[in-house]
Amino acid sequence: MNYKGKVFFMLYRLRLGSITNAQRAKRVLLENGYHAYITRVENPTANDGCGYAVRLHCDSMDGVTRLLKEAGIRLIGADVL
């Protein structure tokens, strides 16, 4: 997000479902300069799988979703926290 020439970082939660996908996503993001960590989804729905997610700060989700797609990691959803 950009406001008056300043870049602001948002905190995102990427819902990935399984612990395996969360670990893979974290590794891909760390290798590309993002600070990411694995967390659980509070009160997961049936669509959230096992309820694992990755949290990270970034200014735009465009690069993140591209990296995950290129790595073959399915993103269930993303939330701004």
Side-chain angles (χ1 to χ4, degrees):
M1 182 181 294
N2 193 331
Y3 178 73
K4 294 186 179 180
K6 297 181 182 179
V7 177
F8 292 92
F9 292 97
M10 303 289 289
L11 175 62
Y12 290 95
R13 178 180 62 191
L14 311 178
R15 289 179 280 119
L16 297 154
S18 71
I19 185 66
T20 304
N21 276 344
Q23 291 168 334
R24 291 176 60 219
K26 178 183 175 184
R27 181 180 42 80
V28 168
L29 293 170
L30 289 174
E31 288 172 354
N32 286 280
Y34 292 94
H35 295 283
Y37 57 97
I38 297 173
T39 187
R40 294 294 305 259
V41 175
E42 302 84 18
N43 303 316
T45 65
N47 294 334
D48 289 328
C50 296
Y52 283 92
V54 171
R55 288 188 184 194
L56 75 150
H57 286 92
C58 63
D59 61 340
S60 171
M61 284 296 297
D62 296 336
V64 171
T65 54
R66 180 183 50 78
L67 286 171
L68 296 178
K69 186 175 182 177
E70 288 174 358
I73 300 169
R74 185 175 68 98
L75 180 64
I76 293 173
D79 307 306
V80 177
L81 302 176

